[in-house]
């Protein structure tokens, strides 16, 4: 892979304030008067289209063979990393950089903080599920090739499908657009679930988190369970940042939340448009860690 610097912004996207000048409270600010139209429209479409039926459709589209783990395409992590060089997340109000720069910034922040190597790996790969754009279409909300393509099933804050959508989601005024909220069961407090059934029984809005979790399981990676949970739930902000869904989660999920919250600080506050990174030299450090956790060589995606 060639070198890339964090100052290589997409010319088709508006630049935000330098993230190095931001205070913590300046991150993740969503307001219809100040947030870009790109981000607002992303969440409008996401809330309208992410339903139980859509989740079932995506689960089928991106299923892995239960015996062999085979998926759509064999690629190394390095190959997938290169594919993300041109991908810019349309749901992010803080940064307009290729996604792989954000991944390296997150991993490096975790490494500098002296966190265990498995969490460094999680930082490096946590958003790589956005590789779904390779097979995505506008109608599926996964066209990440076209700068103006839909991405509402690739990135963005998730919530639990099949039950009442909490007011703590981003832009709650869009909740009524969701067709499931016309169903008496789906719009109720518990919805289709049992009290305190646990996170594993819940269905999140489809995106890179769930896909990447399934991809790692299919490839039999050895990242610890808490690391896999971080990857699966790091976009579920109503739960880990606003304490929604306590009536559906259980005691084990509270421990998981602690790990996700710890990771979230690195995912959010390491974003910096002026932090120059040299991918080639960093890859020499991270690739042995990927091999350690069963993610070296050709993998199914």
């Amino acid at each position: 892979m060639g070198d890339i610097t964090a100052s290589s912004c997409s010319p088709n996207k508006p630049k935000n304030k330098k993230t190095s000048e931001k205070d913590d409270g300046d991150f993740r600010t969503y307001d219809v008067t100040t947030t870009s139209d790109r981000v607002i429209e992303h969440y409008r479409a996401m809330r309208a289209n992410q339903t139980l039926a859509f989740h079932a459709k995506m689960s089928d589209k991106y299923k892995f063979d239960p015996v062999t783990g085979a998926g759509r395409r064999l690629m190394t992590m390095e190959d997938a990393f290169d594919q993300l060089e041109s991908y810019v997340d349309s749901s992010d109000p803080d940064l307009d950089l290729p996604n792989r720069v954000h991944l390296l910034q997150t991993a490096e922040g975790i490494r500098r903080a002296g966190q265990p190597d498995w969490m460094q790996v999680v930082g490096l790969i946590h958003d790589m599920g956005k590789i779904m754009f390779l097979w995505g279409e506008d109608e599926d909300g996964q066209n990440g090739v076209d700068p103006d393509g839909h991405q509402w099933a690739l990135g963005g804050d998730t919530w639990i499908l099949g039950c009442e959508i909490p007011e703590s989601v981003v832009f709650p005024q869009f909740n009524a657009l969701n067709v499931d909220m016309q169903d008496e069961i789906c719009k109720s407090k518990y919805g289709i679930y049992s009290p305190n059934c646990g996170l594993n029984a819940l269905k999140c809005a489809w995106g890179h988190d769930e896909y990447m979790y399934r991809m790692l399981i299919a490839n039999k990676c050895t990242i610890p369970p808490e690391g896999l949970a971080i990857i699966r739930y790091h976009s579920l902000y109503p739960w880990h940042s606003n304490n929604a869904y306590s009536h559906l989660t259980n005691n084990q999920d509270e421990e998981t939340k602690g790990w996700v919250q710890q990771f979230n600080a690195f995912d959010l506050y390491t974003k910096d448009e002026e932090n120059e990174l040299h991918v080639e030299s960093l890859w020499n450090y991270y690739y042995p860690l990927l091999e350690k956790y069963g993610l070296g060589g050709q993998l199914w995606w």
Side-chain angles (χ1 to χ4, degrees):
M1 292 186 298
D3 286 355
I4 183 171
T5 66
S7 59
S8 305
C9 298
S10 168
N12 298 314
K13 302 292 184 180
K15 290 186 178 181
N16 293 307
K17 177 183 177 183
K18 274 196 315 184
T19 49
S20 57
E21 295 178 353
K22 284 190 174 187
D23 296 324
D24 288 359
D26 293 331
F27 286 88
R28 289 184 49 80
T29 300
Y30 295 95
D31 185 283
V32 292
T33 62
T34 58
T35 303
S36 72
D37 291 343
R38 166 180 64 94
V39 175
I40 293 172
E41 181 51 37
H42 177 99
Y43 278 102
R44 186 197 309 274
M46 190 178 187
R47 203 68 40 77
N49 292 291
Q50 289 271 8
T51 63
L52 287 170
F54 181 77
H55 187 280
K57 173 184 174 181
M58 291 296 99
S59 292
D60 183 65
K61 177 175 179 176
Y62 291 105
K63 64 186 176 184
F64 293 86
D65 187 284
V67 177
T68 66
R72 283 139 300 283
R73 176 175 170 182
L74 279 170
M75 287 188 290
T76 65
M77 276 287 179
E78 187 173 11
D79 292 336
F81 213 67
D82 281 341
Q83 293 287 348
L84 288 171
E85 180 176 355
S86 60
Y87 180 86
V88 177
D89 189 343
S90 69
S91 72
D92 193 336
D94 299 317
L95 203 63
D96 292 310
L97 289 174
N99 208 245
R100 73 173 188 168
V101 175
H102 165 58
L103 294 177
L104 280 167
Q105 288 179 345
T106 304
E108 283 293 276
I110 293 170
R111 177 158 68 127
R112 287 193 300 270
Q115 296 295 323
D117 60 7
W118 65 261
M119 188 176 278
Q120 296 172 36
V121 171
V122 168
L124 184 69
I125 69 174
H126 73 281
D127 277 352
M128 290 189 77
K130 293 170 185 175
I131 201 72
M132 286 188 292
F133 80 83
L134 292 177
W135 305 283
E137 301 171 332
D138 268 326
E139 66 179 19
D140 288 343
Q142 296 186 325
N143 178 1
V145 177
D146 182 346
D148 298 317
H150 295 158
Q151 296 183 15
W152 49 262
L154 289 172
D157 292 10
T158 58
W159 67 93
I160 301 302
L161 304 171
C163 64
E164 178 184 29
I165 305 175
E167 287 296 303
S168 57
V169 295
V170 172
F171 299 124
Q173 61 267 41
F174 298 148
N175 290 356
L177 300 176
N178 192 284
V179 68
D180 283 353
M181 294 302 98
Q182 299 173 19
D183 181 274
E184 290 299 320
I185 294 176
C186 288
K187 72 179 183 180
S188 66
K189 179 178 180 180
Y190 290 95
I192 63 174
Y193 309 108
S194 302
N196 304 114
C197 58
L199 275 175
N200 287 339
L202 308 179
K203 300 180 188 295
C204 292
W206 184 269
H208 67 283
D209 313 59
E210 182 65 22
Y211 166 78
M212 193 64 188
Y213 169 78
R214 296 185 185 197
M215 176 270 181
L216 294 172
I217 296 297
N219 284 281
K220 298 180 172 58
C221 88
T222 58
I223 292 173
E226 49 267 44
L228 295 175
I230 288 170
I231 288 169
R232 194 177 195 184
Y233 300 116
H234 70 273
S235 296
L236 189 57
Y237 274 85
W239 167 66
H240 66 68
S241 294
N242 298 106
N243 295 315
Y245 305 118
S246 60
H247 56 294
L248 296 175
T249 56
N250 56 34
N251 291 335
Q252 179 60 47
D253 298 332
E254 287 304 303
E255 181 178 341
T256 299
K257 183 187 288 186
W259 283 108
V260 177
Q261 289 172 335
Q262 181 178 340
F263 171 81
N264 185 60
F266 296 104
D267 186 16
L268 187 58
Y269 301 126
T270 55
K271 296 176 181 178
D272 190 346
E273 291 185 357
E274 296 201 341
N275 179 16
E276 185 172 321
L277 298 172
H278 296 281
V279 173
E280 192 69 40
S281 59
L282 289 175
W283 195 253
N284 291 333
Y285 170 78
Y286 284 108
Y287 188 73
L289 295 186
L290 291 170
E291 288 189 312
K292 176 180 177 178
Y293 291 102
L295 296 173
Q298 296 283 316
L299 302 167
W300 279 110
W301 296 81

